[in-house]
Amino acid sequence: MMTATTSSVQAVATERRRSRSMRWSVIVRSAVVTLVTAFLAFLFLLPFFNMVFTSLKTTAQMMQPGAPVWPAIPGVFEYEGKELELYLVPLEDGSVRELAIVRKGRQQSTFIDPDHPEAGEIEWSGSWRALQRPWQLHPAWGNYREAWEKIDFPILFRNTLAIALIGLTGTVISSTLVAYGFARFRFPGRGFLFTLLLSTIFLPAAVTIVPTYAFFVAIGWVGTWLPLTVPHFFSNAYNVFLLRQYMLTIPREIDEAAQMDGANPFRILISILLPQCAPVVLAVALFHLVFAWNDYFGPLLYLSTRFDLQPIAVALPRFNNLYGSNPPLIQAASLMAMALPVLLFFLAQRVFMQGVVITGVEK
């Protein structure tokens, strides 16, 4: 009896130790995965952080040897109405202190202690040029204001938003109607037409540049927004595929029930299918908005002579060429240009992920 009881107690203790060991193993594994993920995310975002820091620097800091990565200015101390430069000066006792230089010399220089200026001047032997300077955090927020004024961002934002929103409207309407037709209606040649539509995805854009441009020149659309907006009202194979695949997952019995209640096909689309297709419709809209915001070649081709109609993607390289000697100004302008797409990504990343996985949904 005692032996059986002792064995059961030992078994329970062993099970507890095993459970405790497994729990610590899971915690350690989760911690390692979290740390590795955070490190990889930091490496991925490192160029973005450098971009932000550069946009807040001054041109003088960019040219200063030994300047820190973060936005800063060399330390100074105001003494008797003058701004004296601060240096890290090694003293005879082995310590290093921040001292303000009063007189510079080749072999001997004069400093004062900013904390105790009343103590008088300090003579120091050595070359002051070999000393390092302390830096103080000082973000140059004026770079953003200067870039905003010089590149005329309000006009560029207006042009970019107008092109993007008009094209977005055409993309959503046309792609939804075409996808609805392929998903819900049976007609001769439906499979062949859908395959033909999908084949346009594999057609290189470079093949259609010359004939498309010649056509728009012939009808007088070059120099306007029409070549950048009107084609989106004729659907897009990729968007049609996304919408059609999603619509196929919705049971047809819902359509039949609505038809029995007297709903026509357009009413079924508006009142039944579209509310259920909201995630994929939003994904298509966001994909197009990001595409139109970043589109460079199209506006460059059709609006090369109309600076007043150009979007940010075309005006920004021209701004970079003019102010290539001022990297902080260029980075500030670039950050303002990418602010809206980045904000949309963080606010709607769930929709983006749904749009990515929709193509894998089976009927």
Side-chain angles (χ1 to χ4, degrees):
M1 187 72 176
M2 290 289 294
T3 303
T5 304
T6 303
S7 299
S8 62
V9 171
Q10 291 178 348
V12 171
T14 302
E15 185 64 27
R16 287 180 178 176
R17 286 196 297 269
R18 185 183 298 111
S19 176
R20 191 180 302 112
S21 176
M22 292 179 60
R23 191 182 308 115
W24 276 107
S25 176
V26 171
I27 293 174
V28 171
R29 192 182 302 114
S30 300
V32 171
V33 171
T34 303
L35 289 175
V36 172
T37 304
F39 178 71
L40 293 177
F42 173 76
L43 291 180
F44 180 78
L45 293 174
L46 200 58
F48 178 76
F49 293 146
N50 181 67
M51 188 177 180
V52 174
F53 287 155
T54 304
S55 69
L56 295 173
K57 294 180 180 179
T58 61
T59 308
Q61 181 185 354
M62 297 293 298
M63 300 174 62
Q64 182 75 26
V69 177
W70 60 87
I73 58 174
V76 294
F77 173 68
E78 188 171 346
Y79 180 70
E80 296 181 352
K82 298 179 181 179
E83 282 192 351
L84 304 180
E85 300 174 351
L86 291 177
Y87 287 89
L88 298 175
V89 182
L91 301 178
E92 295 180 356
D93 58 0
S95 63
V96 178
R97 297 175 61 185
E98 291 187 9
L99 301 180
I101 191 167
V102 179
R103 286 186 296 275
K104 300 176 181 179
R106 291 186 177 182
Q107 301 298 328
Q108 191 172 21
S109 302
T110 305
F111 294 85
I112 60 170
D113 189 350
D115 296 330
H116 304 284
E118 69 281 356
E121 298 179 346
I122 302 173
E123 297 294 332
W124 180 79
S125 298
S127 175
W128 64 271
R129 297 181 183 275
L131 299 175
Q132 295 183 355
R133 300 195 60 182
W135 292 82
Q136 301 172 351
L137 181 65
H138 187 273
W141 298 106
N143 291 338
Y144 288 91
R145 183 180 65 254
E146 185 178 357
W148 179 276
E149 296 172 353
K150 289 186 175 180
I151 201 174
D152 202 1
F153 258 96
I155 300 299
L156 296 179
F157 271 120
R158 183 205 65 184
N159 295 343
T160 309
L161 276 177
I163 294 173
L165 293 179
I166 295 173
L168 183 150
T169 303
T171 295
V172 171
I173 293 176
S174 61
S175 299
T176 301
L177 293 176
V178 175
Y180 179 54
F182 280 119
R184 284 298 194 258
F185 294 95
R186 293 184 173 89
F187 52 88
R190 184 182 66 167
F192 171 76
L193 290 176
F194 186 67
T195 303
L196 184 63
L197 176 65
L198 290 183
S199 65
T200 60
I201 297 177
F202 305 100
L203 184 65
V207 175
T208 61
I209 289 175
V210 174
T212 304
Y213 182 80
F215 173 75
F216 288 139
V217 169
I219 61 178
W221 282 11
V222 174
T224 67
W225 288 343
L226 295 176
L228 305 174
T229 55
V230 173
H232 295 295
F233 284 83
F234 294 89
S235 77
N236 173 276
Y238 177 75
N239 296 333
V240 170
F241 179 74
L242 290 181
L243 289 162
R244 174 185 176 272
Q245 293 301 107
Y246 197 89
M247 289 181 181
L248 289 176
T249 63
I250 302 174
R252 287 181 176 271
E253 288 76 8
I254 299 178
D255 299 15
E256 296 171 357
Q259 288 176 350
M260 294 180 62
D261 290 337
N264 56 40
F266 184 74
R267 182 58 180 244
I268 293 174
L269 172 64
I270 298 298
S271 301
I272 297 177
L273 289 183
L274 278 184
Q276 299 184 66
C277 293
V280 68
V281 172
L282 287 175
V284 167
L286 290 173
F287 288 152
H288 177 80
L289 186 63
V290 174
F291 161 78
W293 192 272
N294 297 325
D295 187 21
Y296 172 75
F297 185 76
L300 178 66
L301 184 63
Y302 297 110
L303 300 174
S304 58
T305 59
R306 294 295 304 273
F307 297 118
D308 58 320
L309 298 179
Q310 290 179 352
I312 292 176
V314 177
L316 194 59
R318 188 174 69 251
F319 177 80
N320 294 347
N321 292 332
L322 292 175
Y323 297 95
S325 60
N326 194 339
L329 209 60
I330 292 176
Q331 298 296 347
S334 300
L335 281 173
M336 287 191 292
M338 65 184 293
L340 181 61
V342 171
L343 182 63
L344 281 176
F345 174 77
F346 283 109
L347 293 179
Q349 51 184 319
R350 179 184 298 180
V351 177
F352 271 105
M353 294 306 299
Q354 287 177 340
V356 171
V357 303
I358 278 170
T359 54
V361 176
E362 296 182 0
K363 181 179 177 182

